[in-house]
Amino acid sequence: DRSWYNRAGVEYVMGFCTKEQRRVFLANCPVMERYIVDGGIRLIKFWLEVSDKEQKSRFEARIDDPLRQWKLSPMDLPSRSKWFEYSRARDVMLKATDTKHAPWYIVPSDDKRRARLNCIGQFLSLIPYKKVKRKKVDLPKRSMKGAYDDRASLRGRRFVRERY
């Protein structure tokens, strides 16, 4: 939802960019990603894929729950009627930008908790890891020089209530 790839999806489908602007973006995107990767940056892209049924359920929950209504952006409701246009735009974007040097990883996201865990697991699997040798650390003894009852000095102060 919040990425520069919006040029290929939201902006195109909602009419905020022309077909030519999208074409130029999709042509330049893999080139730019190549520059990023060649510069030594590890570029990892996740596409969170939500089913039509789940999106409908989430939107209905936002409409019905005043605490969730803030999540409804001005683009959400009009976009609902454009499901297949968004799906086609996704397909075009993936075809143009899913490259060997910067591949997309599609995360089934109907179950948010599982999606997050799967995303984290995939992310960690893509990061090379070597155990780092560390020096043994010894915790020094606390000096008693200037000792006083430092807990007593906090009595009567305002503390945040522990809720958890």
Side-chain angles (χ1 to χ4, degrees):
D1 283 355
R2 291 166 284 285
S3 77
W4 74 312
Y5 299 96
N6 274 353
R7 174 57 47 120
V10 175
E11 290 181 24
Y12 178 70
V13 172
M14 297 305 287
F16 302 142
C17 75
T18 66
K19 195 172 197 167
E20 177 62 11
Q21 288 171 321
R22 178 178 77 156
R23 186 198 65 71
V24 168
F25 171 80
L26 290 174
N28 289 334
C29 187
V31 175
M32 180 64 187
E33 290 175 344
R34 170 55 80 185
Y35 284 126
I36 291 169
V37 171
D38 287 350
I41 295 171
R42 197 171 299 274
L43 181 58
I44 300 171
K45 304 183 305 193
F46 291 103
W47 180 267
L48 304 178
E49 181 66 23
V50 179
S51 70
D52 177 50
K53 181 180 175 186
E54 180 61 21
Q55 185 197 54
K56 181 177 188 267
S57 173
R58 289 179 188 178
F59 281 2
E60 287 170 343
R62 290 173 187 174
I63 289 168
D64 295 338
D65 183 349
L67 297 178
R68 291 186 187 174
Q69 282 179 358
W70 67 270
K71 290 183 172 186
L72 280 174
S73 78
M75 291 296 101
D76 287 340
L77 296 178
S79 72
R80 181 74 188 128
S81 64
K82 297 177 181 278
W83 177 265
F84 293 110
E85 290 173 72
Y86 273 104
S87 295
R88 283 187 189 90
R90 174 209 56 209
D91 295 345
V92 169
M93 190 270 305
L94 288 174
K95 184 176 182 183
T97 63
D98 187 16
T99 61
K100 188 173 182 176
H101 62 273
W104 279 100
Y105 296 94
I106 298 172
V107 183
S109 301
D110 282 1
D111 182 323
K112 289 181 184 182
R113 186 168 191 257
R114 286 185 177 166
R116 287 180 185 122
L117 292 171
N118 289 329
C119 205
I120 291 167
Q122 178 68 16
F123 179 80
L124 292 174
S125 76
L126 296 169
I127 305 298
Y129 173 78
K130 291 185 219 168
K131 192 159 186 155
V132 177
K133 290 186 179 183
R134 302 176 194 268
K135 293 180 184 176
K136 185 177 186 289
V137 177
D138 291 317
L139 184 66
K141 291 185 179 182
R142 184 175 66 177
S143 169
M144 294 308 288
K145 183 179 178 182
Y148 74 106
D149 186 355
D150 60 330
R151 302 303 298 163
S153 66
L154 296 176
R155 283 191 208 111
R157 299 283 180 192
R158 291 178 196 86
F159 279 81
V160 172
R161 181 171 60 96
E162 292 186 32
R163 299 175 186 185
Y164 308 105

